[in-house]
Amino acid sequence: MNVILLGPPGAGKGTQAKKIVESYSIPHISTGDMLRENINNSTPLGIKASSYMSKGELVPDELSITIIKDRLSRTDCSKGFLLDGYPRTIPQADALQMILTESDRKIDVVLNIEVYDEELIKRLSGRRMCKCGASYHMIFNPPENDEICDLCKGKLFQRDDDKEEAIRNRLTVYKKQTQPLIEYYTKKKLIRTINGGQDIPQIFKDIKKVLKEYD
Ligand code: ADP
Ligand code: ADP
Ligand code: ZN
């Protein structure tokens, strides 16, 4: 099963992705996580990406296309994959289609998680991350112990781009560059809309209902 999670920043893609990959045993492919890892390791790619990311801009398409092409060629993707945060532009979606066609694969479904702007801002400004990849919300999804990860006991932190200025920019960037993908995948009859305004378990139930049709 080859799935794309589409939705604005803060929609809950990462949160739902963790649950989906646990249930369906497919790899979670987050370009945001991979880019942050490159930044932490000061790789040439990370160095190129970091100034874009801290401002809430998209990194140039060639960077994200390079990492996704490499990642999708690994053997663990042969039984399926979950893309989170890729594609974010039409050229990225076209590149994805080329990469998959070359290896005789295709996207089965695009889950479009819809959430209102006001709620997105609340979610992003309260988000706290752990270096293990877990994400929390100080009010909506708090860790058991203040600022400590439930899973690995690491100290939680706030992402640079979850500060107010960058949040607003990311929502504008989403509308301009990523939202056109809804029409792109609607035309291909791949879009399924998920009401992301509900609580985390209910959204996951709705997602499972849809994925059952493709499993
Ligand atoms: P995305 O990957 O789409 O940017 P995340 O999964 O990181 O979104 O979620 C953004 C923030 O909102 C996190 O702090 C997360 O804990 C919180 N969150 C996720 N889903 C919900 C929900 N359904 N209701 C309330 N808060 C949520
Ligand atoms: P969120 O969870 O808030 O949606 P991500 O972790 O997916 O954010 O992405 C964080 C940042 O990484 C983006 O604002 C952008 O700068 C960069 N990024 C991630 N994926 C892509 C992509 N496919 N194309 C361009 N930039 C990307
Ligand atoms: Zn952790």
Side-chain angles (χ1 to χ4, degrees), residues 5-27:
L5 273 183
L6 190 63
K13 299 181 299 297
T15 302
Q16 296 299 328
K18 292 262 164 351
K19 294 174 161 298
I20 296 167
V21 299
E22 225 173 76
S23 285
Y24 294 88
S25 306
I26 50 176

PDB file of all heavy atoms in Angstrom, residues 5-27:
ATOM      1  N   LEU A   5       0.218  11.295   2.782  1.00  0.00           N
ATOM      2  CA  LEU A   5      -0.525  12.118   3.745  1.00  0.00           C
ATOM      3  C   LEU A   5      -0.348  13.564   3.337  1.00  0.00           C
ATOM      4  O   LEU A   5       0.765  14.092   3.358  1.00  0.00           O
ATOM      5  CB  LEU A   5       0.071  11.954   5.139  1.00  0.00           C
ATOM      6  CG  LEU A   5      -0.413  10.827   6.023  1.00  0.00           C
ATOM      7  CD1 LEU A   5       0.276  10.932   7.383  1.00  0.00           C
ATOM      8  CD2 LEU A   5      -1.928  10.874   6.198  1.00  0.00           C
ATOM      9  N   LEU A   6      -1.443  14.204   2.982  1.00  0.00           N
ATOM     10  CA  LEU A   6      -1.401  15.602   2.555  1.00  0.00           C
ATOM     11  C   LEU A   6      -2.135  16.429   3.614  1.00  0.00           C
ATOM     12  O   LEU A   6      -3.091  15.943   4.214  1.00  0.00           O
ATOM     13  CB  LEU A   6      -2.112  15.695   1.196  1.00  0.00           C
ATOM     14  CG  LEU A   6      -2.034  16.976   0.398  1.00  0.00           C
ATOM     15  CD1 LEU A   6      -0.593  17.283   0.009  1.00  0.00           C
ATOM     16  CD2 LEU A   6      -2.882  16.854  -0.870  1.00  0.00           C
ATOM     17  N   GLY A   7      -1.690  17.653   3.797  1.00  0.00           N
ATOM     18  CA  GLY A   7      -2.385  18.518   4.753  1.00  0.00           C
ATOM     19  C   GLY A   7      -1.472  19.626   5.199  1.00  0.00           C
ATOM     20  O   GLY A   7      -0.247  19.505   5.097  1.00  0.00           O
ATOM     21  N   PRO A   8      -2.047  20.720   5.691  1.00  0.00           N
ATOM     22  CA  PRO A   8      -1.237  21.864   6.100  1.00  0.00           C
ATOM     23  C   PRO A   8      -0.342  21.526   7.296  1.00  0.00           C
ATOM     24  O   PRO A   8      -0.571  20.527   7.980  1.00  0.00           O
ATOM     25  CB  PRO A   8      -2.280  22.919   6.478  1.00  0.00           C
ATOM     26  CG  PRO A   8      -3.520  22.153   6.760  1.00  0.00           C
ATOM     27  CD  PRO A   8      -3.479  20.942   5.890  1.00  0.00           C
ATOM     28  N   PRO A   9       0.668  22.373   7.551  1.00  0.00           N
ATOM     29  CA  PRO A   9       1.480  22.183   8.739  1.00  0.00           C
ATOM     30  C   PRO A   9       0.599  22.198   9.979  1.00  0.00           C
ATOM     31  O   PRO A   9      -0.264  23.071  10.107  1.00  0.00           O
ATOM     32  CB  PRO A   9       2.438  23.379   8.736  1.00  0.00           C
ATOM     33  CG  PRO A   9       2.070  24.240   7.599  1.00  0.00           C
ATOM     34  CD  PRO A   9       1.071  23.543   6.752  1.00  0.00           C
ATOM     35  N   GLY A  10       0.776  21.230  10.848  1.00  0.00           N
ATOM     36  CA  GLY A  10      -0.015  21.175  12.077  1.00  0.00           C
ATOM     37  C   GLY A  10      -1.282  20.360  11.953  1.00  0.00           C
ATOM     38  O   GLY A  10      -2.018  20.179  12.929  1.00  0.00           O
ATOM     39  N   ALA A  11      -1.559  19.808  10.761  1.00  0.00           N
ATOM     40  CA  ALA A  11      -2.811  19.060  10.569  1.00  0.00           C
ATOM     41  C   ALA A  11      -2.830  17.766  11.376  1.00  0.00           C
ATOM     42  O   ALA A  11      -3.906  17.215  11.640  1.00  0.00           O
ATOM     43  CB  ALA A  11      -3.006  18.753   9.086  1.00  0.00           C
ATOM     44  N   GLY A  12      -1.637  17.279  11.740  1.00  0.00           N
ATOM     45  CA  GLY A  12      -1.575  16.013  12.465  1.00  0.00           C
ATOM     46  C   GLY A  12      -1.018  14.883  11.612  1.00  0.00           C
ATOM     47  O   GLY A  12      -1.185  13.705  11.942  1.00  0.00           O
ATOM     48  N   LYS A  13      -0.311  15.233  10.542  1.00  0.00           N
ATOM     49  CA  LYS A  13       0.249  14.214   9.653  1.00  0.00           C
ATOM     50  C   LYS A  13       1.240  13.323  10.402  1.00  0.00           C
ATOM     51  O   LYS A  13       1.148  12.098  10.335  1.00  0.00           O
ATOM     52  CB  LYS A  13       0.964  14.870   8.454  1.00  0.00           C
ATOM     53  CG  LYS A  13       0.045  15.731   7.589  1.00  0.00           C
ATOM     54  CD  LYS A  13       0.782  16.332   6.396  1.00  0.00           C
ATOM     55  CE  LYS A  13       1.941  17.257   6.749  1.00  0.00           C
ATOM     56  NZ  LYS A  13       1.540  18.470   7.494  1.00  0.00           N
ATOM     57  N   GLY A  14       2.170  13.933  11.106  1.00  0.00           N
ATOM     58  CA  GLY A  14       3.182  13.160  11.833  1.00  0.00           C
ATOM     59  C   GLY A  14       2.539  12.268  12.891  1.00  0.00           C
ATOM     60  O   GLY A  14       2.895  11.093  13.033  1.00  0.00           O
ATOM     61  N   THR A  15       1.584  12.821  13.613  1.00  0.00           N
ATOM     62  CA  THR A  15       0.894  12.082  14.684  1.00  0.00           C
ATOM     63  C   THR A  15       0.168  10.869  14.121  1.00  0.00           C
ATOM     64  O   THR A  15       0.282   9.758  14.649  1.00  0.00           O
ATOM     65  CB  THR A  15      -0.124  13.025  15.375  1.00  0.00           C
ATOM     66  OG1 THR A  15       0.582  14.164  15.874  1.00  0.00           O
ATOM     67  CG2 THR A  15      -0.858  12.332  16.506  1.00  0.00           C
ATOM     68  N   GLN A  16      -0.558  11.060  13.047  1.00  0.00           N
ATOM     69  CA  GLN A  16      -1.302   9.946  12.447  1.00  0.00           C
ATOM     70  C   GLN A  16      -0.343   8.971  11.761  1.00  0.00           C
ATOM     71  O   GLN A  16      -0.567   7.755  11.790  1.00  0.00           O
ATOM     72  CB  GLN A  16      -2.349  10.464  11.449  1.00  0.00           C
ATOM     73  CG  GLN A  16      -3.447  11.313  12.089  1.00  0.00           C
ATOM     74  CD  GLN A  16      -4.272  10.548  13.133  1.00  0.00           C
ATOM     75  OE1 GLN A  16      -4.483   9.336  13.022  1.00  0.00           O
ATOM     76  NE2 GLN A  16      -4.748  11.256  14.162  1.00  0.00           N
ATOM     77  N   ALA A  17       0.735   9.513  11.176  1.00  0.00           N
ATOM     78  CA  ALA A  17       1.697   8.646  10.476  1.00  0.00           C
ATOM     79  C   ALA A  17       2.260   7.599  11.431  1.00  0.00           C
ATOM     80  O   ALA A  17       2.363   6.422  11.087  1.00  0.00           O
ATOM     81  CB  ALA A  17       2.823   9.485   9.878  1.00  0.00           C
ATOM     82  N   LYS A  18       2.596   8.027  12.645  1.00  0.00           N
ATOM     83  CA  LYS A  18       3.151   7.089  13.633  1.00  0.00           C
ATOM     84  C   LYS A  18       2.185   5.933  13.865  1.00  0.00           C
ATOM     85  O   LYS A  18       2.583   4.782  14.005  1.00  0.00           O
ATOM     86  CB  LYS A  18       3.404   7.812  14.969  1.00  0.00           C
ATOM     87  CG  LYS A  18       4.517   8.839  14.913  1.00  0.00           C
ATOM     88  CD  LYS A  18       5.799   8.260  15.432  1.00  0.00           C
ATOM     89  CE  LYS A  18       7.064   9.009  15.100  1.00  0.00           C
ATOM     90  NZ  LYS A  18       7.113  10.114  14.182  1.00  0.00           N
ATOM     91  N   LYS A  19       0.889   6.238  13.941  1.00  0.00           N
ATOM     92  CA  LYS A  19      -0.121   5.205  14.204  1.00  0.00           C
ATOM     93  C   LYS A  19      -0.310   4.311  12.978  1.00  0.00           C
ATOM     94  O   LYS A  19      -0.451   3.098  13.093  1.00  0.00           O
ATOM     95  CB  LYS A  19      -1.453   5.855  14.576  1.00  0.00           C
ATOM     96  CG  LYS A  19      -1.410   6.621  15.889  1.00  0.00           C
ATOM     97  CD  LYS A  19      -2.723   7.348  16.074  1.00  0.00           C
ATOM     98  CE  LYS A  19      -2.981   7.745  17.500  1.00  0.00           C
ATOM     99  NZ  LYS A  19      -3.074   6.623  18.423  1.00  0.00           N
ATOM    100  N   ILE A  20      -0.322   4.918  11.808  1.00  0.00           N
ATOM    101  CA  ILE A  20      -0.553   4.147  10.580  1.00  0.00           C
ATOM    102  C   ILE A  20       0.578   3.140  10.369  1.00  0.00           C
ATOM    103  O   ILE A  20       0.330   1.964  10.102  1.00  0.00           O
ATOM    104  CB  ILE A  20      -0.665   5.094   9.353  1.00  0.00           C
ATOM    105  CG1 ILE A  20      -1.899   6.003   9.489  1.00  0.00           C
ATOM    106  CG2 ILE A  20      -0.735   4.286   8.050  1.00  0.00           C
ATOM    107  CD1 ILE A  20      -1.929   7.166   8.497  1.00  0.00           C
ATOM    108  N   VAL A  21       1.825   3.585  10.489  1.00  0.00           N
ATOM    109  CA  VAL A  21       2.935   2.674  10.184  1.00  0.00           C
ATOM    110  C   VAL A  21       3.019   1.542  11.201  1.00  0.00           C
ATOM    111  O   VAL A  21       3.465   0.441  10.880  1.00  0.00           O
ATOM    112  CB  VAL A  21       4.300   3.397  10.056  1.00  0.00           C
ATOM    113  CG1 VAL A  21       4.255   4.420   8.930  1.00  0.00           C
ATOM    114  CG2 VAL A  21       4.745   4.035  11.351  1.00  0.00           C
ATOM    115  N   GLU A  22       2.557   1.801  12.418  1.00  0.00           N
ATOM    116  CA  GLU A  22       2.522   0.747  13.432  1.00  0.00           C
ATOM    117  C   GLU A  22       1.520  -0.333  13.027  1.00  0.00           C
ATOM    118  O   GLU A  22       1.778  -1.523  13.127  1.00  0.00           O
ATOM    119  CB  GLU A  22       2.088   1.362  14.759  1.00  0.00           C
ATOM    120  CG  GLU A  22       2.897   0.928  15.957  1.00  0.00           C
ATOM    121  CD  GLU A  22       2.485   1.720  17.173  1.00  0.00           C
ATOM    122  OE1 GLU A  22       1.412   1.427  17.730  1.00  0.00           O
ATOM    123  OE2 GLU A  22       3.222   2.675  17.514  1.00  0.00           O
ATOM    124  N   SER A  23       0.355   0.097  12.553  1.00  0.00           N
ATOM    125  CA  SER A  23      -0.703  -0.852  12.197  1.00  0.00           C
ATOM    126  C   SER A  23      -0.435  -1.588  10.901  1.00  0.00           C
ATOM    127  O   SER A  23      -0.864  -2.715  10.729  1.00  0.00           O
ATOM    128  CB  SER A  23      -2.037  -0.134  11.998  1.00  0.00           C
ATOM    129  OG  SER A  23      -2.569   0.213  13.213  1.00  0.00           O
ATOM    130  N   TYR A  24       0.211  -0.912   9.950  1.00  0.00           N
ATOM    131  CA  TYR A  24       0.306  -1.491   8.609  1.00  0.00           C
ATOM    132  C   TYR A  24       1.717  -1.956   8.241  1.00  0.00           C
ATOM    133  O   TYR A  24       1.931  -2.433   7.123  1.00  0.00           O
ATOM    134  CB  TYR A  24      -0.209  -0.496   7.562  1.00  0.00           C
ATOM    135  CG  TYR A  24      -1.695  -0.229   7.712  1.00  0.00           C
ATOM    136  CD1 TYR A  24      -2.163   0.775   8.556  1.00  0.00           C
ATOM    137  CD2 TYR A  24      -2.624  -1.005   7.031  1.00  0.00           C
ATOM    138  CE1 TYR A  24      -3.521   1.013   8.709  1.00  0.00           C
ATOM    139  CE2 TYR A  24      -3.987  -0.774   7.175  1.00  0.00           C
ATOM    140  CZ  TYR A  24      -4.425   0.233   8.018  1.00  0.00           C
ATOM    141  OH  TYR A  24      -5.768   0.466   8.176  1.00  0.00           O
ATOM    142  N   SER A  25       2.678  -1.777   9.175  1.00  0.00           N
ATOM    143  CA  SER A  25       4.061  -2.208   8.929  1.00  0.00           C
ATOM    144  C   SER A  25       4.633  -1.719   7.595  1.00  0.00           C
ATOM    145  O   SER A  25       5.164  -2.504   6.805  1.00  0.00           O
ATOM    146  CB  SER A  25       4.178  -3.738   8.970  1.00  0.00           C
ATOM    147  OG  SER A  25       3.671  -4.217  10.165  1.00  0.00           O
ATOM    148  N   ILE A  26       4.484  -0.444   7.344  1.00  0.00           N
ATOM    149  CA  ILE A  26       5.142   0.167   6.186  1.00  0.00           C
ATOM    150  C   ILE A  26       6.005   1.315   6.720  1.00  0.00           C
ATOM    151  O   ILE A  26       5.713   1.844   7.794  1.00  0.00           O
ATOM    152  CB  ILE A  26       4.123   0.697   5.130  1.00  0.00           C
ATOM    153  CG1 ILE A  26       3.048   1.587   5.786  1.00  0.00           C
ATOM    154  CG2 ILE A  26       3.482  -0.454   4.367  1.00  0.00           C
ATOM    155  CD1 ILE A  26       2.065   2.217   4.795  1.00  0.00           C
ATOM    156  N   PRO A  27       7.082   1.687   6.005  1.00  0.00           N
ATOM    157  CA  PRO A  27       7.935   2.755   6.517  1.00  0.00           C
ATOM    158  C   PRO A  27       7.277   4.136   6.432  1.00  0.00           C
ATOM    159  O   PRO A  27       6.542   4.423   5.497  1.00  0.00           O
ATOM    160  CB  PRO A  27       9.188   2.679   5.634  1.00  0.00           C
ATOM    161  CG  PRO A  27       8.803   1.909   4.435  1.00  0.00           C
ATOM    162  CD  PRO A  27       7.633   1.043   4.791  1.00  0.00           C
TER     163      PRO A  27
END
